[in-house]
Amino acid sequence: MPTEPCFSVPLSATRRGARLARLLATEQLRRWGLPLDPARLIVAELAANAAVHGRVPGRSFRLTLTVVPPATLRIEVTDTRGERLPERARAASELLHESGYGLLLVEELADRWGVRGGPMPAKTVWAELDLGS
C-alpha cells in the first residue's frame, strides 16, 4: 500500500523562518503537481502566526504538508505555545485592529481549519483544501 505524500520540516520561529516555510511549500506543491494557490497563502499566514504569536525563544515551529486520499491537501503548522490558542476569525472580528486579518484569510481560503492541542506544550493549527478530482 503506497504511503500518502508528506513533507515536514522544522523552521526557526522567526519572520525569516515563516518566509522560508512559504518558499519550501511552494516548491513542494510544484513537485507534487498541485495548485500553488491558495495553499501557499495559507502556509504564509499560519507560519507568520507561529513566528509572531507562537514563538518561544530557542524553539522552532514545524510545517507539514500531506496529501490525504482521495484528494485533500492538509497544511499543519505546529508551535510550542500550546497555551496560546488562536480564536476563530469570526469570533475575533472586533479584535482585527490588534491581531490582523490572517485567520480571517485562512477561514475564507480553506475548506476546513482548526486547532489541535498537544503533546504539551505544543499546538497544531491545520487547514485543509479539497483538491477536486
Side-chain angles (χ1 to χ4, degrees):
M1 177 194 237
T3 58
E4 45 198 48
C6 183
F7 171 81
S8 187
V9 62
L11 297 156
S12 65
T14 61
R15 292 186 188 279
R16 186 176 184 177
R19 190 169 48 251
L20 185 56
R22 181 182 52 81
L23 295 171
L24 291 171
T26 299
E27 183 57 31
Q28 189 60 52
L29 293 167
R30 280 191 180 120
R31 282 188 189 138
W32 288 340
L34 297 177
L36 300 181
D37 291 320
R40 67 180 167 181
L41 298 172
I42 293 170
V43 168
E45 291 300 333
L46 296 182
N49 282 351
V52 173
H53 304 294
R55 185 173 192 277
V56 172
R59 301 257 176 106
S60 59
F61 72 90
R62 176 168 292 277
L63 168 67
T64 303
L65 305 175
T66 309
V67 178
V68 180
T72 299
L73 174 65
R74 185 174 180 92
I75 301 163
E76 296 181 332
V77 174
T78 303
D79 66 51
T80 54
R81 291 288 301 267
E83 78 282 1
R84 273 191 93 172
L85 299 177
E87 295 182 43
R88 303 285 305 173
R90 289 189 182 120
S93 60
E94 307 85 45
L95 303 175
L96 287 175
H97 65 281
E98 292 178 16
S99 59
Y101 295 92
L103 289 178
L104 185 60
L105 181 65
V106 170
E107 188 165 305
E108 290 299 314
L109 295 174
D111 292 300
R112 291 163 298 285
W113 79 277
V115 181
R116 182 180 71 240
M120 284 306 287
K123 73 170 174 303
T124 299
V125 182
W126 58 269
E128 291 183 339
L129 292 169
D130 295 331
L131 299 172
S133 40

